Amino acid sequence: MHVVDRRQNPKAKSLGNRQRFLRRVKSHMRKAFADSIRQRKIADLEGGQEVSISSKDLHEPTFHHDRNVGHRDYVLPGNHEYRPGDQIEKPSGGAGSGSGGSADGDGEDSFVFALTREEFLDLFFEDLELPNLAKRKLKSMDSPAWVRAGYSTDGSPQRLNKRETMRRSLARRIALGRPKLAEVEALQAELQQAQTAGDADEIARLRKLIDAQQTRMRAVPYLETVDLRYSRIQRVPKPTTQAVMFCLMDTSASMTEQLKDMAKRFYMLLHLFLKRHYKAVELVFIRHTYTAQEVDEQTFFHGRETGGTVVSSALEEMLKIVKQRYPVEDWNIYAAQASDGHNFDHDMPQTLRLLEQEILPICQYYAYIEVNDDQWPGDSVLWHGYYPLTARHANFAQAEVATAGEIFPVFHDLFDGKLRSGSNTN
Amino acid sequence: MNKRHGGLLYSGSQWDFKLLHRVYDAVEEIALGELGLDVYPNQIEVITSEQMLDAYAAIGMPLLYRHWSFGKRFAREELLYRKGAQSLAYELVINSQPCVSYVMEENTMTMQTLVIAHAAFGHNHFFKNNHLFRQWTRADRVLDELAYAKSYIAGCEQRYGLGEVESLLDSAHALMSHGVNRYATRRRSPREQQARSEARRQHLESTYNDLWRTVPTEPSDTTEVKTAEQDENDIEAAALDLPEENLLTFLANHAPKLKDWQREVLRIVRTLAQYFYPQRQTKMMNEGCATFVHYEIMNRLYHRGQIDEGSMLEFLHMHSAVVAQPNFDSRGFGGINPYALGYAMVRDIARICDDPDDEDRQWFPEIAGKGRSLETIRDAWEHYRDESFILQFLSPRLIREMRLFKVSDDANDEHMTVTAIHDESGYREVRRQLAAQYDISKQEPDIQISDANLKGNRRLVLTHRVRDGKLLEKSEANRILRHLAKLWGYRVRMVEVDAETKRPLSEYDAVSMP
C-alpha cells in the first residue's frame, strides 16, 4: 500500500476546462453583465462575481422519456396506511418519483456560477480602449527589455556560462588527447611499485611514459581561453507609447456627497481600466473648487473639500502640468472631467476658450461626464456650453450619469473601441 | 478488552501518515483475514478539498481530456460547496489497478479509517470481483487509456482548433448514454466471419444475376426491380450489422463523412461510456458492499479495542447518516438511497444464512440456515448486478421493514394508484418492480439504428421502441438528432414505434447542418 500526499499538486487542474467553459459562455456573459452590473457598486469589483446566465448553450442533452406521457410504475419506501387500490394525489412538480425518466441533472433555466475578479474585469474591459492612441513618439522607457542572445566568446566574468564552457573544454580535451589525471596517477603508482621491486627496465619505461604524459598535459591545458563562453544578453528597446490621463473632478459645494460618490466611482473604473490595460499610462488627478490643485490618488478618491466652482481653474492647472511635465510632442494626452454641470457664469467664456483653443487641440480624447441626480441633460451650464463642441471636435464626448447604475454602461460607451474607431480624425 | 492487538491505533481526531499506515494494516488484517476480501493493490492519496472539487469536475477520474462541460461541473460544484449547500464526499475511489482512493486532508482520523475500510477494501473488492467489472473494464489499463485520450484530444485541439474538437465532443457526449454495448460483443471466429462474408457475396451474386437477366427484357417491371433494390438494402444492413444499439460505435465505424481523427475521438468517448456502464448497473450493490465492509471492520476494530468509544460514536453518527432512508413523503426524499438498500440487503442475507425464520426458509431454501454468510455474500457480489440481486435476494421481511409499496402512475389519470404493498400478495410484485427500476436497459429509452443507406440518399434511420407509451422528450430528442445528423453528415430520421403493437407513434427528422 502506498500513501501519496497529493496536496502539493497543482490545484487548478480543471483550469483548462474552466477556460473552455468561459469561452463558450462569453457571449451570454456579456448580456448577463449588462443586467447584473446595473445593481453593482464599484466596491463589488474587489471580490469575485456571481453571474447567472441562460443555460441554453450549456445544456447537455440526453435521450430521456417525456415525463408527461405514458405509464409508469415505481416502488417507494415508507408506506404508512395505503392499501392496494388506494389513490394518491400526484405530487406537483414531479417530485416523489423514484424512477421515471428524470435522467437529466440540469433542467434549470439559468446557470449561476462565480467568476474570479480577474475573469470579471477581463470580460468587463474587453473591447475597451483609449481612442486615438497615436504613436506620438517611440521612446525607450526606463524599462528596456533584456533578452538572451546566445553566447559570446568574451564578456564579464559573472556572465560566464559554465555549461557551454565545459562542453567546449571537454570536446577539446578529447580531441587533442589530453591524458586523464587518474591515468597519470596510476602510472605513478606502478612506478612506485617498480621502484620498491627494483626493476630498472620497468622504472625507465614508466618514467618515459609519465614524462610523455605530463608533457602532453602541459601542452593541452584543462581549460583554455578558446573554451570560454559567456551568456550574451542584449538590451532591446521596447517601444512604448506614452500616454497621460488627466482626471478632473469638481468637488465644490454644489456637488453633493452622492454626486461626488458617483464621480469617484467613474474614476475608479477608469483607474482600474487604465492600470490593467496600459502599463505606460500615467495618471494625473486634479480636483477643483474655485481653485484647482493636483492631488494624489488617495486624496482624490477619499479627500473632502468644498467651495465655489471655477472650472477654468482646473483647465489651467492641467495646461500648467502639461507644460511642465508632458510635452505635447512626446505624450498622448487624455482627459476626463466630471462635474455636476455648475460653473460661475462669468467663468464660462474663459472655460470654453481654454477648452476649445488650448486643450482640445492637444488632447487625443476628452470626455465630459455630468453627474446629475434630477435635472434634464442639457439643463446645466456646462452641458449647454460644451454641447456645440461635440459637433466641432471628434475627440470630444460628453455623457450624463444620473444613477450609479448608469456608470458602467456610460463608461463602456465612452471607451468602446469598436464604436469609436470611426471617429479617428485627430 | 482484548490486548492481543496492541491497544488503540490512535486517539483524538488528528491524523498523520504514520497513523494512516497503522490503521491501514489493522483494517487490512480484518478485511483479508476475517472477511475474506480480495482486492487490487491499494494506493491512497491525500488531497485538499479543492482537489476534490477538481476530481468531481472530471467525473471522478484522475485525468481526463479537456472539455467545457467539465468546467461547468466544476463551477456548479464549487458554488454549491462554497455556499454550504453541499458538502464534499469524504472519499473518491477509482476502478483501476492499483486501486486509487482519494481521502481529504480535513477528514478526522476516524473518517480516514472509515474511508480506508469503505473505499480501499469495500469498493476495491467489488471492482475486482464483480463479473460486470471483470467483463467490461480493464482496471490495469484505465489510467493509460485516460492518459492517451487526454494527449490525443489535446493534439487534435492543436491541429484542428478548439472549436472543431469542442463541437465534436459535444455531439459525442450527447450520444454517450447510447454509446455502450449492453451485451457482450459477438466475437466471431475468423472462420465464422469468412463464412458470413462468403454467404453475403453469394447472395449478392445471385441478385446481380437476377438483375442482369430481368432488366433488359422487362425494363418496365418495377416490382421486380424494387424487390431487387430492397434485397440490396437488406444485404447492406446485414453488412453493417444492423440493428445496432451502440450509436457511437456505429458512427465511428460507418459515418461517411468523418475524418479519421474524428472517428478516434468518438471511440475515446465510447470507451469512457463503457467504463462507467458497470458502475451504473451496480451502484446499489457496490455501495452496499462498501458500507457493509466498513461497518463490519469498524465494529471489529472496536471489539478488538483498537479504536475508542469516541471514535466509534463518531463513526456510528456518520454511518447512520449514510444509510438513512427518508420516507417517500418526507422533504428529504430523493429516491431510494442506494447505500440504505444495498446495506440492508447484505445484512438481511447474512441474517437469512445464520438465523432464518420459517418465511425465509420458504423463500430462500438454498441459503436459509446454511450458515457461511460471508461466503454467500461474497458470491452475490461477484455474480449479480443491482437488478438480478434484488430479484434474487430481496426478502419479504426487508420489504416490510422498509415499507415498500408500488404505485402506478399514468399520465392520463389524475391520481396515482397503489398497486401493491408489503403483504402476502404484494411481495413478489414489489420485488419485481423494484428490480425493474434498477434495470438500466428498461429505464433508458431503447434506441437502435435500424437502417442506414450508404449509397443513395444516405439517410440514417433510428427506431425507438416505446414501452408503456413513454415517448421521448421532444426538444431534447431533436437536439440530439441534430448532433447525430452532424456526425452522420446526412439526413437522420427517427421513428418511435410501440414495442408491442409495432404501431408508429411519432417521427423525427433532422438535417445535417454544414
Side-chain angles (χ1 to χ4, degrees):
Chain A
M1 193 262 311
H2 297 284
V3 177
V4 185
D5 189 357
R6 292 263 185 228
R7 286 173 293 175
Q8 300 309 316
N9 276 21
K11 285 189 175 60
K13 226 166 142 190
S14 55
L15 194 66
N17 292 327
R18 183 163 179 93
Q19 283 162 349
R20 282 163 180 74
F21 171 65
L22 291 180
R23 201 177 72 97
R24 186 165 181 104
V25 294
K26 213 161 205 176
S27 58
H28 294 275
M29 277 199 291
R30 277 200 209 99
K31 230 180 95 233
F33 271 167
D35 301 334
S36 68
I37 262 168
R38 283 177 198 286
Q39 297 101 39
R40 226 162 238 150
K41 290 184 188 150
I42 290 257
D44 292 351
L45 289 178
E46 294 307 312
Q49 305 292 314
E50 232 166 68
V51 239
S52 156
I53 53 173
S54 142
S55 67
K56 205 172 141 229
D57 248 27
L58 285 179
H59 187 69
E60 297 161 82
T62 50
F63 277 127
H64 60 253
H65 294 128
D66 188 344
R67 303 174 64 95
N68 298 319
V69 295
H71 177 89
R72 286 177 176 71
D73 292 317
Y74 33 86
V75 170
L76 296 173
N79 185 13
H80 303 298
E81 75 282 14
Y82 295 130
R83 312 290 311 163
D86 283 354
Q87 307 251 304
I88 310 180
E89 204 68 40
K90 281 192 186 181
S92 53
S97 81
S99 71
S102 58
D104 65 326
D106 24 32
E108 72 268 45
D109 288 331
S110 70
F111 184 81
V112 182
F113 64 99
L115 282 176
T116 65
R117 176 169 181 264
E118 292 296 301
E119 288 167 343
F120 177 79
L121 292 178
D122 269 350
L123 271 161
F124 183 72
F125 290 129
E126 202 191 21
D127 297 337
L128 297 190
E129 61 181 52
L130 285 178
N132 312 335
L133 188 62
K135 290 192 176 73
R136 273 290 161 88
K137 189 171 184 184
L138 292 183
K139 179 186 168 191
S140 59
M141 298 289 286
D142 50 357
S143 61
W146 290 94
V147 293
R148 288 191 160 200
Y151 310 105
S152 66
T153 49
D154 63 333
S156 57
Q158 73 265 33
R159 293 231 183 281
L160 181 72
N161 188 312
K162 294 178 208 80
R163 197 191 54 181
E164 285 301 311
T165 303
M166 288 316 289
R167 258 174 79 177
R168 280 174 175 76
S169 152
L170 183 65
R172 187 179 48 80
R173 277 181 280 135
I174 292 171
L176 298 180
R178 183 182 203 262
K180 283 183 183 143
L181 201 59
E183 289 172 17
V184 180
E185 277 167 358
L187 285 175
Q188 267 162 349
E190 275 181 49
L191 178 63
Q192 214 133 47
Q193 271 179 2
Q195 274 169 343
T196 44
D199 186 344
D201 283 356
E202 182 69 1
I203 292 174
R205 189 186 68 84
L206 284 170
R207 280 245 164 87
K208 210 174 149 202
L209 211 57
I210 291 172
D211 245 20
Q213 296 273 42
Q214 279 175 338
T215 318
R216 185 132 202 102
M217 270 180 93
R218 273 193 297 277
V220 185
Y222 188 77
L223 202 64
E224 223 187 340
T225 354
V226 291
D227 300 334
L228 298 184
R229 286 297 178 277
Y230 298 86
S231 299
R232 210 158 79 89
I233 292 188
Q234 220 170 19
R235 193 182 148 116
V236 175
K238 205 177 166 190
T240 322
T241 315
Q242 299 188 104
V244 56
M245 169 68 82
F246 285 90
C247 301
L248 313 176
M249 181 163 61
D250 179 3
T251 54
S252 64
S254 60
M255 285 281 278
T256 60
E257 273 309 312
Q258 196 201 343
L259 292 182
K260 275 184 208 164
D261 186 51
M262 266 202 282
K264 283 174 187 171
R265 282 184 189 190
F266 182 85
Y267 283 122
M268 274 188 200
L269 208 53
L270 188 62
H271 190 198
L272 217 50
F273 167 57
L274 293 175
K275 282 270 182 234
R276 249 182 111 68
H277 281 244
Y278 302 93
K279 286 223 171 57
V281 171
E282 294 197 11
L283 286 161
V284 176
F285 297 101
I286 297 173
R287 64 173 187 183
H288 72 90
T289 54
Y290 51 89
T291 58
Q293 79 187 111
E294 187 190 351
V295 294
D296 60 15
E297 210 179 302
Q298 185 68 19
T299 324
F300 186 78
F301 286 119
H302 304 292
R304 288 160 181 273
E305 187 202 41
T306 50
T309 319
V310 178
V311 174
S312 63
S313 68
L315 300 182
E316 274 163 6
E317 178 75 14
M318 174 176 160
L319 282 173
K320 200 180 89 194
I321 294 171
V322 167
K323 276 203 191 83
Q324 279 170 3
R325 302 192 329 238
Y326 302 103
V328 179
E329 61 276 14
D330 288 355
W331 291 81
N332 290 296
I333 296 170
Y334 295 86
Q337 180 194 359
S339 161
D340 61 349
H342 286 292
N343 194 10
F344 287 141
D345 283 342
H346 65 77
D347 184 49
M348 275 312 284
Q350 167 75 350
T351 304
L352 289 176
R353 191 190 62 75
L354 274 176
L355 188 62
E356 183 155 23
Q357 290 176 13
E358 306 214 14
I359 291 187
L360 286 182
I362 63 167
C363 272
Q364 301 297 106
Y365 187 52
Y366 190 104
Y368 169 62
I369 304 95
E370 185 160 312
V371 286
N372 203 325
D373 38 16
D374 49 5
Q375 282 167 307
W376 299 98
D379 218 22
S380 75
V381 181
L382 277 180
W383 186 277
H384 195 70
Y386 281 173
Y387 190 71
L389 298 181
T390 48
R392 290 206 294 272
H393 297 274
N395 60 338
F396 180 84
Q398 58 181 15
E400 189 213 23
V401 176
T403 62
E406 284 172 11
I407 292 175
F408 286 88
V410 163
F411 181 86
H412 224 275
D413 287 349
L414 285 176
F415 292 99
D416 190 326
K418 283 184 196 131
L419 275 181
R420 295 209 50 89
S421 56
S423 63
N424 203 340
T425 52
N426 190 43
Chain B
M1 198 154 284
N2 193 339
K3 289 284 173 207
R4 187 163 52 92
H5 298 285
L8 285 181
L9 290 167
Y10 63 89
S11 61
S13 60
Q14 291 298 320
W15 65 269
D16 59 41
F17 289 95
K18 228 174 82 195
L19 283 184
L20 280 187
H21 277 282
R22 262 178 84 180
V23 162
Y24 181 89
D25 291 340
V27 170
E28 187 179 38
E29 191 188 325
I30 298 173
L32 306 189
E34 297 185 16
L35 300 182
L37 301 185
D38 166 32
V39 295
Y40 291 126
N42 270 305
Q43 179 164 327
I44 289 167
E45 306 199 355
V46 183
I47 59 172
T48 62
S49 52
E50 210 148 319
Q51 288 166 326
M52 184 59 101
L53 279 170
D54 276 342
Y56 271 24
I59 42 181
M61 300 308 250
L63 70 169
L64 197 60
Y65 56 82
R66 302 199 183 292
H67 187 247
W68 64 266
S69 63
F70 307 134
K72 172 188 165 188
R73 287 172 65 98
F74 184 83
R76 183 172 50 204
E77 301 289 353
E78 190 190 26
L79 192 74
L80 285 175
Y81 175 59
R82 297 228 186 287
K83 281 189 166 170
Q86 158 188 312
S87 56
L88 295 174
Y90 306 134
E91 47 78 32
L92 208 145
V93 55
I94 294 154
N95 169 27
S96 62
Q97 183 179 4
C99 177
V100 181
S101 312
Y102 290 131
V103 302
M104 283 215 292
E105 63 168 348
E106 49 265 55
N107 290 358
T108 64
M109 189 63 226
T110 304
M111 277 154 104
Q112 306 291 36
T113 314
L114 166 66
V115 165
I116 288 172
H118 182 91
F121 289 95
H123 283 308
N124 191 346
H125 172 83
F126 197 84
F127 288 148
K128 189 173 177 189
N129 292 283
N130 183 268
H131 77 287
L132 284 177
F133 286 93
R134 295 173 83 102
Q135 186 181 357
W136 290 113
T137 64
R138 294 290 306 264
D140 51 337
R141 284 195 198 159
V142 170
L143 296 181
D144 290 343
E145 272 173 12
L146 288 172
Y148 162 73
K150 186 176 179 180
S151 73
Y152 188 85
I153 288 182
C156 288
E157 281 181 342
Q158 264 182 7
R159 225 163 301 142
Y160 310 105
L162 283 180
E164 277 285 299
V165 177
E166 178 179 300
S167 75
L168 177 66
L169 282 175
D170 284 355
S171 302
H173 285 181
L175 298 172
M176 211 162 160
S177 63
H178 287 77
V180 290
N181 291 325
R182 291 172 206 282
Y183 309 101
T185 37
R186 289 158 288 175
R187 286 222 185 86
R188 294 194 186 90
S189 65
R191 182 177 300 170
E192 229 179 316
Q193 276 179 4
Q194 209 179 356
R196 269 168 59 87
S197 70
E198 178 64 18
R200 202 147 64 218
R201 197 180 57 79
Q202 280 181 0
H203 195 95
L204 259 172
E205 253 170 22
S206 68
T207 42
Y208 178 78
N209 286 340
D210 215 14
L211 263 178
W212 196 241
R213 189 171 46 75
T214 51
V215 170
T217 51
E218 274 183 297
S220 59
D221 190 348
T222 48
T223 52
E224 184 83 4
V225 175
K226 197 160 176 217
T227 52
E229 236 173 54
Q230 196 70 48
D231 245 10
E232 204 176 329
N233 282 344
D234 287 348
I235 299 156
E236 223 170 68
L240 294 173
D241 261 344
L242 293 176
E244 169 67 59
E245 53 163 4
N246 191 334
L247 306 189
L248 284 177
T249 302
F250 181 84
L251 288 169
N253 292 338
H254 302 296
K257 279 186 171 174
L258 289 186
K259 301 190 182 67
D260 280 347
W261 69 272
Q262 292 169 316
R263 293 180 201 280
E264 185 60 23
V265 170
L266 292 189
R267 287 192 191 107
I268 285 173
V269 175
R270 179 199 62 190
T271 311
L272 197 64
Q274 194 73 54
Y275 173 82
F276 284 113
Y277 192 57
Q279 312 218 355
R280 287 162 61 208
Q281 282 181 293
T282 56
K283 167 96 178 148
M284 185 269 290
M285 282 182 76
N286 199 343
E287 295 300 357
C289 166
T291 309
F292 176 79
V293 167
H294 81 223
Y295 186 82
E296 282 296 314
I297 288 177
M298 292 304 277
N299 269 298
R300 287 169 195 235
L301 284 176
Y302 176 64
H303 289 303
R304 290 166 161 215
Q306 289 181 307
I307 56 176
D308 59 22
E309 267 167 29
S311 304
M312 195 60 195
L313 280 176
E314 187 190 346
F315 157 68
L316 285 174
H317 178 73
M318 279 184 287
H319 176 76
S320 55
V322 165
V323 298
Q325 175 62 64
N327 283 346
F328 76 99
D329 51 357
S330 72
R331 278 175 62 102
F333 181 72
I336 290 180
N337 177 356
Y339 294 83
L341 180 63
Y343 175 66
M345 282 187 67
V346 175
R347 300 273 296 179
D348 199 45
I349 293 173
R351 184 193 57 77
I352 293 169
C353 290
D354 296 334
D355 179 25
D357 55 20
D358 288 344
E359 183 183 49
D360 296 322
R361 277 183 232 283
Q362 186 195 334
W363 279 67
F364 305 99
E366 294 91 14
I367 60 170
K370 299 268 167 44
R372 294 192 309 202
S373 53
L374 280 173
E375 208 173 297
T376 313
I377 291 168
R378 284 201 305 269
D379 185 69
W381 286 335
E382 190 177 333
H383 294 114
Y384 292 83
R385 58 189 173 125
D386 286 353
E387 181 227 359
S388 52
F389 184 60
I390 289 175
L391 218 46
Q392 185 71 30
F393 293 111
L394 186 67
S395 72
R397 181 197 281 239
L398 193 59
I399 293 175
R400 285 196 300 274
E401 273 171 12
M402 295 186 74
R403 305 186 81 80
L404 297 175
F405 67 111
K406 180 189 165 195
V407 289
S408 288
D409 178 8
D410 198 293
N412 298 325
D413 292 345
E414 286 202 5
H415 292 89
M416 302 188 290
T417 314
V418 176
T419 41
I421 64 162
H422 52 279
D423 61 12
E424 210 54 54
S425 58
Y427 293 140
R428 282 182 198 283
E429 189 52 30
V430 167
R431 183 159 90 170
R432 196 195 53 75
Q433 178 54 39
L434 190 63
Q437 221 155 289
Y438 280 95
D439 187 354
I440 295 183
S441 62
K442 280 191 189 142
Q443 290 305 319
E444 280 187 348
D446 173 8
I447 294 170
Q448 293 185 333
I449 292 177
S450 48
D451 190 18
N453 185 328
L454 284 182
K455 295 213 184 84
N457 56 16
R458 300 202 159 181
R459 191 166 61 180
L460 188 69
V461 182
L462 284 80
T463 309
H464 172 215
R465 290 170 12 107
V466 180
R467 286 175 303 244
D468 296 332
K470 285 188 282 191
L471 293 169
L472 289 180
E473 216 270 302
K474 283 221 162 34
S475 67
E476 288 283 283
N478 271 321
R479 278 183 195 190
I480 298 180
L481 288 177
R482 276 200 294 275
H483 280 300
L484 191 58
K486 201 181 80 199
L487 294 176
W488 177 246
Y490 299 93
R491 191 176 280 265
V492 170
R493 209 167 78 108
M494 181 166 73
V495 281
E496 300 199 272
V497 180
D498 192 286
E500 249 106 74
T501 62
K502 306 276 179 255
R503 196 165 53 87
L505 298 173
S506 85
E507 206 177 303
Y508 295 84
D509 207 9
V511 198
S512 155
M513 298 287 194

